[in-house]
Amino acid sequence: MAWASKEEVLYVAPHRSQTTQDHVALVEIDLAGELMIAAATSPEDRLSPDRIDEVLDVDADRGDRRAAVEAGQGPAAADLP
């Protein structure tokens, strides 16, 4: 296998800074970890949808959205689950 000569190298991607963070990915990793811990400590084979909502604190999010709708902010009440 021959290595590329200097003339053949057209572009080298710049090195990303070590301080760059993807905050959405970090939150998703944290939530996945919470689900794994809940699954590992659960006596059942699978987590129920209600238990998943509890672990992910989904009801709190829905309550926050409903309060925002009632205050005249956010989507219409019919759009909420």
Side-chain angles (χ1 to χ4, degrees), residues 2 16 19 22 24-25 28 30 34 37 60 65-66 73 80-81:
R16 290 180 55 177
T19 59
D22 184 344
V24 173
E28 289 177 355
D30 186 48
E34 293 293 329
I37 291 168
R65 283 185 279 166
R66 187 162 305 282
Q73 304 166 351
L80 294 176

Side-chain angles (χ1 to χ4, degrees), residues 7-20:
E7 294 81 28
E8 292 178 40
V9 176
L10 301 177
Y11 176 77
V12 176
H15 180 46
R16 290 180 55 177
S17 169
Q18 294 296 331
T19 59
T20 302

